[in-house]
Amino acid sequence: MIENANSIIYNVENPTGEALNIAEDDRKKISAEARFFRGYAYNLLATLYGGVPLVTDPLSEPKTDFVRAPIEDINALIEEDLMYASQNLPQIDNTPEESRVSRYAANQLFAEFYLRIGQAKKAEDQTNLIINSDRFDLVDERYGVKADQPGDPFADMFY
């Protein structure tokens, strides 16, 4: 995932051929989506392993001499990528397809990242951007196969 994201970021920021015809705004959105996924991958790796090899350029040949980067360097890249993503990804109702990443997905991942590094206030700020967007609602009515039975909506997602 990181290699694919690095390749996309590099190619969209250094366009050649047909890529020169992509509008600047679209390039930002493409880069933002790639940065979201690179931030996602590095956040997962940092959560599991701490410092990991830090690769930000596409690889053009096999590499076998990876070394762990300090966790501070990994965290700095994640924060930079998610900042870019949260500022340049489209609103959820402007994504080209329902399953594409929106800025609210970046805000949620940003909150998770900030919780991991012990910055609860920044995590709260990111979640408040989602909560106060008026684009999401909590499920408060029963649904599914047990909708007509006593219980709670949260449990319905497991039936």
Side-chain angles (χ1 to χ4, degrees):
M1 186 181 303
I2 292 168
E3 173 58 26
N4 287 341
N6 287 339
S7 293
I8 292 167
I9 294 165
Y10 177 83
N11 286 307
V12 80
E13 292 177 359
N14 302 286
T16 59
E18 290 295 317
L20 290 169
N21 298 328
I22 299 174
E24 182 65 27
D25 192 49
D26 290 337
R27 281 193 207 150
K28 284 183 178 180
K29 289 177 187 172
I30 293 166
S31 183
E33 193 167 354
R35 287 172 187 271
F36 169 86
F37 283 107
R38 183 170 70 180
Y40 171 81
Y42 270 119
N43 191 55
L44 180 61
L45 289 170
T47 299
L48 294 173
Y49 305 110
V52 294
L54 182 60
V55 181
T56 58
D57 295 318
L59 299 175
S60 59
E61 56 188 46
K63 181 174 172 64
T64 59
D65 59 345
F66 291 104
V67 294
R68 287 179 185 258
I71 190 68
E72 295 81 15
D73 294 351
I74 303 297
N75 288 340
L77 177 69
I78 295 167
E79 188 170 32
E80 178 185 320
D81 279 351
L82 294 179
M83 183 67 69
Y84 188 92
S86 65
Q87 292 172 352
N88 292 288
L89 282 169
Q91 298 284 348
I92 195 161
D93 39 357
N94 293 331
T95 56
E97 296 174 29
E98 187 175 303
S99 60
R100 297 299 287 268
V101 177
S102 73
R103 78 176 41 174
Y104 298 110
N107 294 133
Q108 186 279 324
L109 183 57
F110 225 167
E112 182 182 322
F113 163 74
Y114 281 136
L115 285 175
R116 180 177 60 76
I117 65 171
Q119 294 187 15
K121 175 64 175 123
K122 288 184 177 181
E124 180 183 2
D125 293 344
Q126 291 296 319
T127 55
N128 281 336
L129 290 171
I130 301 167
I131 293 166
N132 296 330
S133 72
D134 292 328
R135 288 183 163 83
F136 305 95
D137 294 313
L138 294 176
V139 175
D140 58 3
E141 294 180 17
R142 296 294 312 265
Y143 65 94
V145 297
K146 296 193 175 193
D148 58 348
Q149 299 176 17
D152 63 272
F154 178 77
D156 288 340
M157 79 173 105
F158 301 105
Y159 296 117

